[in-house]
mmCIF file of all heavy atoms in Angstrom:
data_model
loop_
_atom_site.group_PDB
_atom_site.id
_atom_site.type_symbol
_atom_site.label_atom_id
_atom_site.label_comp_id
_atom_site.label_asym_id
_atom_site.label_seq_id
_atom_site.Cartn_x
_atom_site.Cartn_y
_atom_site.Cartn_z
ATOM 1 N N ARG A 32 0.826 -1.210 0.000
ATOM 2 C CA ARG A 32 0.000 0.000 0.000
ATOM 3 C C ARG A 32 0.861 1.261 0.000
ATOM 4 O O ARG A 32 0.528 2.258 -0.641
ATOM 5 C CB ARG A 32 -0.900 -0.034 1.233
ATOM 6 C CG ARG A 32 -1.785 1.164 1.447
ATOM 7 C CD ARG A 32 -2.632 0.964 2.708
ATOM 8 N NE ARG A 32 -3.366 2.159 3.032
ATOM 9 C CZ ARG A 32 -4.492 2.528 2.440
ATOM 10 N NH1 ARG A 32 -4.993 1.765 1.480
ATOM 11 N NH2 ARG A 32 -5.118 3.627 2.785
ATOM 12 N N ASP A 33 2.000 1.217 0.702
ATOM 13 C CA ASP A 33 2.863 2.390 0.822
ATOM 14 C C ASP A 33 3.792 2.580 -0.376
ATOM 15 O O ASP A 33 4.413 3.640 -0.516
ATOM 16 C CB ASP A 33 3.715 2.276 2.093
ATOM 17 C CG ASP A 33 2.879 2.381 3.356
ATOM 18 O OD1 ASP A 33 1.750 2.907 3.279
ATOM 19 O OD2 ASP A 33 3.345 1.920 4.419
ATOM 20 N N SER A 34 3.918 1.563 -1.227
ATOM 21 C CA SER A 34 4.839 1.652 -2.357
ATOM 22 C C SER A 34 4.350 2.665 -3.389
ATOM 23 O O SER A 34 3.154 2.732 -3.707
ATOM 24 C CB SER A 34 5.000 0.282 -3.022
ATOM 25 O OG SER A 34 5.824 0.376 -4.162
ATOM 26 N N LYS A 35 5.277 3.427 -3.918
ATOM 27 C CA LYS A 35 4.964 4.391 -4.979
ATOM 28 C C LYS A 35 5.128 3.770 -6.366
ATOM 29 O O LYS A 35 4.866 4.427 -7.380
ATOM 30 C CB LYS A 35 5.877 5.617 -4.866
ATOM 31 C CG LYS A 35 5.832 6.303 -3.506
ATOM 32 C CD LYS A 35 4.427 6.760 -3.140
ATOM 33 C CE LYS A 35 4.426 7.470 -1.776
ATOM 34 N NZ LYS A 35 3.039 7.809 -1.346
ATOM 35 N N LEU A 36 5.583 2.522 -6.390
ATOM 36 C CA LEU A 36 5.837 1.826 -7.644
ATOM 37 C C LEU A 36 4.734 0.806 -7.923
ATOM 38 O O LEU A 36 4.010 0.399 -7.009
ATOM 39 C CB LEU A 36 7.182 1.090 -7.565
ATOM 40 C CG LEU A 36 8.425 1.954 -7.357
ATOM 41 C CD1 LEU A 36 9.626 1.058 -7.066
ATOM 42 C CD2 LEU A 36 8.687 2.835 -8.571
ATOM 43 N N PRO A 37 4.599 0.356 -9.175
ATOM 44 C CA PRO A 37 3.740 -0.798 -9.446
ATOM 45 C C PRO A 37 4.208 -1.995 -8.617
ATOM 46 O O PRO A 37 5.413 -2.207 -8.448
ATOM 47 C CB PRO A 37 3.935 -1.044 -10.942
ATOM 48 C CG PRO A 37 4.361 0.284 -11.491
ATOM 49 C CD PRO A 37 5.189 0.918 -10.415
ATOM 50 N N VAL A 38 3.269 -2.781 -8.105
ATOM 51 C CA VAL A 38 3.594 -3.816 -7.117
ATOM 52 C C VAL A 38 3.176 -5.204 -7.596
ATOM 53 O O VAL A 38 2.093 -5.385 -8.179
ATOM 54 C CB VAL A 38 2.906 -3.517 -5.766
ATOM 55 C CG1 VAL A 38 3.095 -4.671 -4.787
ATOM 56 C CG2 VAL A 38 3.448 -2.227 -5.167
ATOM 57 N N LEU A 39 4.037 -6.184 -7.304
ATOM 58 C CA LEU A 39 3.719 -7.600 -7.433
ATOM 59 C C LEU A 39 3.933 -8.253 -6.077
ATOM 60 O O LEU A 39 4.978 -8.032 -5.440
ATOM 61 C CB LEU A 39 4.638 -8.287 -8.447
ATOM 62 C CG LEU A 39 4.597 -7.851 -9.910
ATOM 63 C CD1 LEU A 39 5.720 -8.543 -10.668
ATOM 64 C CD2 LEU A 39 3.256 -8.203 -10.526
ATOM 65 N N VAL A 40 2.968 -9.056 -5.621
ATOM 66 C CA VAL A 40 3.153 -9.887 -4.430
ATOM 67 C C VAL A 40 2.920 -11.324 -4.850
ATOM 68 O O VAL A 40 1.853 -11.658 -5.378
ATOM 69 C CB VAL A 40 2.195 -9.498 -3.290
ATOM 70 C CG1 VAL A 40 2.406 -10.423 -2.099
ATOM 71 C CG2 VAL A 40 2.414 -8.052 -2.868
ATOM 72 N N ILE A 41 3.933 -12.167 -4.630
ATOM 73 C CA ILE A 41 3.860 -13.543 -5.089
ATOM 74 C C ILE A 41 4.249 -14.489 -3.959
ATOM 75 O O ILE A 41 4.960 -14.112 -3.034
ATOM 76 C CB ILE A 41 4.771 -13.775 -6.319
ATOM 77 C CG1 ILE A 41 6.247 -13.541 -5.952
ATOM 78 C CG2 ILE A 41 4.363 -12.864 -7.460
ATOM 79 C CD1 ILE A 41 7.218 -13.823 -7.105
ATOM 80 N N GLY A 42 3.760 -15.721 -4.038
ATOM 81 C CA GLY A 42 4.168 -16.711 -3.060
ATOM 82 C C GLY A 42 3.078 -17.697 -2.708
ATOM 83 O O GLY A 42 1.957 -17.644 -3.226
ATOM 84 N N ASP A 43 3.445 -18.610 -1.817
ATOM 85 C CA ASP A 43 2.504 -19.567 -1.230
ATOM 86 C C ASP A 43 2.028 -18.960 0.084
ATOM 87 O O ASP A 43 2.769 -18.895 1.049
ATOM 88 C CB ASP A 43 3.236 -20.898 -0.999
ATOM 89 C CG ASP A 43 2.419 -21.902 -0.198
ATOM 90 O OD1 ASP A 43 1.239 -21.622 0.090
ATOM 91 O OD2 ASP A 43 2.979 -22.955 0.155
ATOM 92 N N PHE A 44 0.772 -18.507 0.109
ATOM 93 C CA PHE A 44 0.230 -17.839 1.290
ATOM 94 C C PHE A 44 -0.257 -18.824 2.349
ATOM 95 O O PHE A 44 -0.620 -18.409 3.445
ATOM 96 C CB PHE A 44 -0.953 -16.945 0.894
ATOM 97 C CG PHE A 44 -0.573 -15.657 0.219
ATOM 98 C CD1 PHE A 44 0.588 -15.532 -0.518
ATOM 99 C CD2 PHE A 44 -1.400 -14.554 0.336
ATOM 100 C CE1 PHE A 44 0.922 -14.345 -1.138
ATOM 101 C CE2 PHE A 44 -1.080 -13.349 -0.278
ATOM 102 C CZ PHE A 44 0.091 -13.244 -1.020
ATOM 103 N N ASN A 45 -0.292 -20.114 1.999
ATOM 104 C CA ASN A 45 -0.914 -21.097 2.900
ATOM 105 C C ASN A 45 -2.322 -20.653 3.282
ATOM 106 O O ASN A 45 -2.768 -20.866 4.421
ATOM 107 C CB ASN A 45 -0.048 -21.331 4.136
ATOM 108 C CG ASN A 45 1.058 -22.333 3.880
ATOM 109 O OD1 ASN A 45 0.816 -23.416 3.365
ATOM 110 N ND2 ASN A 45 2.286 -21.954 4.208
ATOM 111 N N ASP A 46 -3.000 -20.063 2.344
ATOM 112 C CA ASP A 46 -4.372 -19.593 2.554
ATOM 113 C C ASP A 46 -5.070 -19.545 1.206
ATOM 114 O O ASP A 46 -4.439 -19.266 0.173
ATOM 115 C CB ASP A 46 -4.367 -18.202 3.192
ATOM 116 C CG ASP A 46 -5.715 -17.831 3.790
ATOM 117 O OD1 ASP A 46 -6.501 -18.751 4.087
ATOM 118 O OD2 ASP A 46 -5.988 -16.631 3.953
ATOM 119 N N VAL A 47 -6.365 -19.804 1.213
ATOM 120 C CA VAL A 47 -7.134 -19.831 -0.030
ATOM 121 C C VAL A 47 -7.535 -18.424 -0.464
ATOM 122 O O VAL A 47 -7.575 -17.489 0.341
ATOM 123 C CB VAL A 47 -8.391 -20.710 0.121
ATOM 124 C CG1 VAL A 47 -8.018 -22.178 0.149
ATOM 125 C CG2 VAL A 47 -9.183 -20.336 1.368
ATOM 126 N N ALA A 48 -7.847 -18.294 -1.724
ATOM 127 C CA ALA A 48 -8.130 -16.979 -2.306
ATOM 128 C C ALA A 48 -9.355 -16.311 -1.695
ATOM 129 O O ALA A 48 -9.429 -15.085 -1.628
ATOM 130 C CB ALA A 48 -8.307 -17.111 -3.821
ATOM 131 N N TRP A 49 -10.351 -17.107 -1.251
ATOM 132 C CA TRP A 49 -11.623 -16.538 -0.800
ATOM 133 C C TRP A 49 -11.712 -16.361 0.712
ATOM 134 O O TRP A 49 -12.748 -15.955 1.224
ATOM 135 C CB TRP A 49 -12.785 -17.429 -1.246
ATOM 136 C CG TRP A 49 -12.580 -18.860 -0.875
ATOM 137 C CD1 TRP A 49 -12.711 -19.434 0.362
ATOM 138 C CD2 TRP A 49 -12.162 -19.906 -1.740
ATOM 139 N NE1 TRP A 49 -12.408 -20.770 0.320
ATOM 140 C CE2 TRP A 49 -12.063 -21.096 -0.968
ATOM 141 C CE3 TRP A 49 -11.866 -19.974 -3.116
ATOM 142 C CZ2 TRP A 49 -11.680 -22.319 -1.515
ATOM 143 C CZ3 TRP A 49 -11.482 -21.183 -3.643
ATOM 144 C CH2 TRP A 49 -11.400 -22.339 -2.858
ATOM 145 N N SER A 50 -10.666 -16.662 1.455
ATOM 146 C CA SER A 50 -10.741 -16.557 2.912
ATOM 147 C C SER A 50 -10.826 -15.106 3.356
ATOM 148 O O SER A 50 -10.466 -14.180 2.619
ATOM 149 C CB SER A 50 -9.513 -17.209 3.557
ATOM 150 O OG SER A 50 -8.392 -16.351 3.451
ATOM 151 N N GLU A 51 -11.258 -14.916 4.595
ATOM 152 C CA GLU A 51 -11.333 -13.562 5.142
ATOM 153 C C GLU A 51 -9.946 -12.933 5.246
ATOM 154 O O GLU A 51 -9.780 -11.729 5.027
ATOM 155 C CB GLU A 51 -11.993 -13.599 6.531
ATOM 156 C CG GLU A 51 -13.470 -13.970 6.510
ATOM 157 C CD GLU A 51 -14.310 -12.980 5.714
ATOM 158 O OE1 GLU A 51 -14.062 -11.768 5.824
ATOM 159 O OE2 GLU A 51 -15.206 -13.424 4.978
ATOM 160 N N SER A 52 -8.934 -13.735 5.560
ATOM 161 C CA SER A 52 -7.574 -13.213 5.696
ATOM 162 C C SER A 52 -7.034 -12.715 4.360
ATOM 163 O O SER A 52 -6.474 -11.604 4.265
ATOM 164 C CB SER A 52 -6.641 -14.286 6.266
ATOM 165 O OG SER A 52 -7.050 -14.674 7.551
ATOM 166 N N THR A 53 -7.184 -13.529 3.312
ATOM 167 C CA THR A 53 -6.687 -13.118 1.998
ATOM 168 C C THR A 53 -7.504 -11.954 1.453
ATOM 169 O O THR A 53 -6.956 -11.043 0.818
ATOM 170 C CB THR A 53 -6.702 -14.303 1.017
ATOM 171 O OG1 THR A 53 -5.844 -15.330 1.525
ATOM 172 C CG2 THR A 53 -6.206 -13.891 -0.354
ATOM 173 N N ALA A 54 -8.810 -11.960 1.704
ATOM 174 C CA ALA A 54 -9.644 -10.836 1.272
ATOM 175 C C ALA A 54 -9.201 -9.544 1.954
ATOM 176 O O ALA A 54 -9.136 -8.478 1.318
ATOM 177 C CB ALA A 54 -11.113 -11.128 1.572
ATOM 178 N N LEU A 55 -8.878 -9.621 3.257
ATOM 179 C CA LEU A 55 -8.417 -8.436 3.969
ATOM 180 C C LEU A 55 -7.059 -7.984 3.441
ATOM 181 O O LEU A 55 -6.823 -6.780 3.264
ATOM 182 C CB LEU A 55 -8.331 -8.732 5.470
ATOM 183 C CG LEU A 55 -7.945 -7.559 6.369
ATOM 184 C CD1 LEU A 55 -8.953 -6.410 6.243
ATOM 185 C CD2 LEU A 55 -7.830 -8.009 7.828
ATOM 186 N N PHE A 56 -6.159 -8.935 3.183
ATOM 187 C CA PHE A 56 -4.867 -8.599 2.567
ATOM 188 C C PHE A 56 -5.088 -7.843 1.262
ATOM 189 O O PHE A 56 -4.446 -6.818 0.994
ATOM 190 C CB PHE A 56 -4.060 -9.876 2.309
ATOM 191 C CG PHE A 56 -2.951 -9.688 1.314
ATOM 192 C CD1 PHE A 56 -1.723 -9.180 1.713
ATOM 193 C CD2 PHE A 56 -3.147 -10.001 -0.033
ATOM 194 C CE1 PHE A 56 -0.709 -8.985 0.788
ATOM 195 C CE2 PHE A 56 -2.139 -9.815 -0.958
ATOM 196 C CZ PHE A 56 -0.913 -9.304 -0.544
ATOM 197 N N LYS A 57 -5.964 -8.355 0.456
ATOM 198 C CA LYS A 57 -6.235 -7.760 -0.857
ATOM 199 C C LYS A 57 -6.831 -6.357 -0.725
ATOM 200 O O LYS A 57 -6.451 -5.432 -1.451
ATOM 201 C CB LYS A 57 -7.182 -8.690 -1.619
ATOM 202 C CG LYS A 57 -7.416 -8.362 -3.066
ATOM 203 C CD LYS A 57 -8.114 -9.542 -3.723
ATOM 204 C CE LYS A 57 -8.646 -9.149 -5.081
ATOM 205 N NZ LYS A 57 -9.812 -8.267 -4.997
ATOM 206 N N ASN A 58 -7.748 -6.184 0.212
ATOM 207 C CA ASN A 58 -8.363 -4.872 0.434
ATOM 208 C C ASN A 58 -7.339 -3.850 0.898
ATOM 209 O O ASN A 58 -7.269 -2.726 0.375
ATOM 210 C CB ASN A 58 -9.480 -4.972 1.462
ATOM 211 C CG ASN A 58 -10.692 -5.739 0.963
ATOM 212 O OD1 ASN A 58 -11.295 -6.498 1.703
ATOM 213 N ND2 ASN A 58 -11.062 -5.551 -0.292
ATOM 214 N N VAL A 59 -6.538 -4.221 1.892
ATOM 215 C CA VAL A 59 -5.586 -3.284 2.482
ATOM 216 C C VAL A 59 -4.463 -2.948 1.514
ATOM 217 O O VAL A 59 -4.043 -1.797 1.400
ATOM 218 C CB VAL A 59 -5.024 -3.858 3.803
ATOM 219 C CG1 VAL A 59 -3.884 -2.992 4.337
ATOM 220 C CG2 VAL A 59 -6.133 -3.965 4.843
ATOM 221 N N SER A 60 -3.977 -3.943 0.803
ATOM 222 C CA SER A 60 -2.880 -3.715 -0.142
ATOM 223 C C SER A 60 -3.341 -2.980 -1.392
ATOM 224 O O SER A 60 -2.524 -2.413 -2.116
ATOM 225 C CB SER A 60 -2.256 -5.051 -0.552
ATOM 226 O OG SER A 60 -3.192 -5.846 -1.265
ATOM 227 N N GLU A 61 -4.650 -3.017 -1.649
ATOM 228 C CA GLU A 61 -5.226 -2.447 -2.879
ATOM 229 C C GLU A 61 -4.620 -3.110 -4.113
ATOM 230 O O GLU A 61 -4.321 -2.456 -5.109
ATOM 231 C CB GLU A 61 -5.067 -0.927 -2.923
ATOM 232 C CG GLU A 61 -5.794 -0.212 -1.789
ATOM 233 C CD GLU A 61 -5.797 1.296 -1.929
ATOM 234 O OE1 GLU A 61 -6.196 1.781 -3.001
ATOM 235 O OE2 GLU A 61 -5.397 1.984 -0.971
ATOM 236 N N LEU A 62 -4.480 -4.433 -4.020
ATOM 237 C CA LEU A 62 -3.988 -5.214 -5.143
ATOM 238 C C LEU A 62 -5.130 -5.979 -5.797
ATOM 239 O O LEU A 62 -6.228 -6.078 -5.249
ATOM 240 C CB LEU A 62 -2.893 -6.184 -4.680
ATOM 241 C CG LEU A 62 -1.617 -5.547 -4.126
ATOM 242 C CD1 LEU A 62 -0.638 -6.620 -3.677
ATOM 243 C CD2 LEU A 62 -0.966 -4.623 -5.154
ATOM 244 N N LEU A 63 -4.847 -6.529 -6.963
ATOM 245 C CA LEU A 63 -5.839 -7.222 -7.769
ATOM 246 C C LEU A 63 -5.443 -8.684 -7.948
ATOM 247 O O LEU A 63 -4.263 -9.031 -7.936
ATOM 248 C CB LEU A 63 -5.969 -6.554 -9.139
ATOM 249 C CG LEU A 63 -6.256 -5.047 -9.137
ATOM 250 C CD1 LEU A 63 -6.169 -4.482 -10.557
ATOM 251 C CD2 LEU A 63 -7.618 -4.749 -8.530
ATOM 252 N N ASP A 64 -6.456 -9.527 -8.153
ATOM 253 C CA ASP A 64 -6.254 -10.972 -8.285
ATOM 254 C C ASP A 64 -6.426 -11.367 -9.748
ATOM 255 O O ASP A 64 -7.502 -11.200 -10.321
ATOM 256 C CB ASP A 64 -7.270 -11.708 -7.410
ATOM 257 C CG ASP A 64 -6.991 -13.198 -7.303
ATOM 258 O OD1 ASP A 64 -6.251 -13.730 -8.147
ATOM 259 O OD2 ASP A 64 -7.528 -13.831 -6.375
ATOM 260 N N LEU A 65 -5.377 -11.926 -10.343
ATOM 261 C CA LEU A 65 -5.420 -12.335 -11.749
ATOM 262 C C LEU A 65 -6.501 -13.371 -12.019
ATOM 263 O O LEU A 65 -7.029 -13.450 -13.135
ATOM 264 C CB LEU A 65 -4.072 -12.951 -12.159
ATOM 265 C CG LEU A 65 -2.789 -12.177 -11.891
ATOM 266 C CD1 LEU A 65 -1.597 -13.009 -12.345
ATOM 267 C CD2 LEU A 65 -2.812 -10.842 -12.606
ATOM 268 N N ARG A 66 -6.842 -14.193 -11.018
ATOM 269 C CA ARG A 66 -7.747 -15.318 -11.243
ATOM 270 C C ARG A 66 -9.199 -14.905 -11.379
ATOM 271 O O ARG A 66 -10.006 -15.652 -11.941
ATOM 272 C CB ARG A 66 -7.610 -16.318 -10.086
ATOM 273 C CG ARG A 66 -6.280 -17.027 -10.063
ATOM 274 C CD ARG A 66 -6.037 -17.682 -8.737
ATOM 275 N NE ARG A 66 -6.021 -16.670 -7.674
ATOM 276 C CZ ARG A 66 -5.440 -16.847 -6.500
ATOM 277 N NH1 ARG A 66 -4.838 -17.980 -6.234
ATOM 278 N NH2 ARG A 66 -5.449 -15.900 -5.592
ATOM 279 N N ILE A 67 -9.548 -13.754 -10.848
ATOM 280 C CA ILE A 67 -10.964 -13.356 -10.873
ATOM 281 C C ILE A 67 -11.428 -13.194 -12.318
ATOM 282 O O ILE A 67 -10.847 -12.457 -13.105
ATOM 283 C CB ILE A 67 -11.169 -12.066 -10.057
ATOM 284 C CG1 ILE A 67 -10.989 -12.382 -8.571
ATOM 285 C CG2 ILE A 67 -12.553 -11.465 -10.324
ATOM 286 C CD1 ILE A 67 -11.193 -11.204 -7.645
ATOM 287 N N GLY A 68 -12.481 -13.933 -12.650
ATOM 288 C CA GLY A 68 -13.001 -13.964 -14.007
ATOM 289 C C GLY A 68 -12.327 -14.987 -14.895
ATOM 290 O O GLY A 68 -12.728 -15.161 -16.049
ATOM 291 N N ARG A 69 -11.308 -15.690 -14.357
ATOM 292 C CA ARG A 69 -10.548 -16.635 -15.183
ATOM 293 C C ARG A 69 -10.608 -18.068 -14.666
ATOM 294 O O ARG A 69 -10.582 -19.003 -15.451
ATOM 295 C CB ARG A 69 -9.085 -16.180 -15.288
ATOM 296 C CG ARG A 69 -8.917 -14.899 -16.080
ATOM 297 C CD ARG A 69 -7.454 -14.505 -16.257
ATOM 298 N NE ARG A 69 -7.342 -13.420 -17.217
ATOM 299 C CZ ARG A 69 -7.399 -12.130 -16.900
ATOM 300 N NH1 ARG A 69 -7.560 -11.771 -15.633
ATOM 301 N NH2 ARG A 69 -7.308 -11.205 -17.844
ATOM 302 N N GLY A 70 -10.626 -18.263 -13.363
ATOM 303 C CA GLY A 70 -10.653 -19.624 -12.833
ATOM 304 C C GLY A 70 -9.970 -19.714 -11.489
ATOM 305 O O GLY A 70 -9.309 -18.778 -11.043
ATOM 306 N N LEU A 71 -10.120 -20.877 -10.855
ATOM 307 C CA LEU A 71 -9.548 -21.083 -9.528
ATOM 308 C C LEU A 71 -8.045 -21.348 -9.580
ATOM 309 O O LEU A 71 -7.311 -20.954 -8.696
ATOM 310 C CB LEU A 71 -10.247 -22.256 -8.839
ATOM 311 C CG LEU A 71 -11.679 -22.013 -8.380
ATOM 312 C CD1 LEU A 71 -12.341 -23.332 -8.006
ATOM 313 C CD2 LEU A 71 -11.704 -21.069 -7.186
#
């Protein structure tokens, strides 16, 4: 969120895409999920 540059976050989160934790990560970071509209 604080970065002034375009951002990539990658890795094994040990968490599923739809969980409350990952959803909160996504909201706070203001990042986007490539899979949405494409598949699991």
Side-chain angles (χ1 to χ4, degrees):
R32 177 179 173 80
D33 292 340
S34 176
K35 304 302 181 185
L36 298 170
V38 173
L39 297 172
V40 178
I41 63 177
D43 171 6
F44 284 28
N45 277 310
D46 196 22
V47 287
W49 51 76
S50 77
E51 292 299 319
S52 298
T53 299
L55 184 60
F56 162 84
K57 189 168 167 288
N58 291 141
V59 172
S60 65
E61 298 188 52
L62 296 179
L63 306 172
D64 190 342
L65 308 178
R66 291 164 299 202
I67 290 181
R69 292 184 170 89
L71 288 167

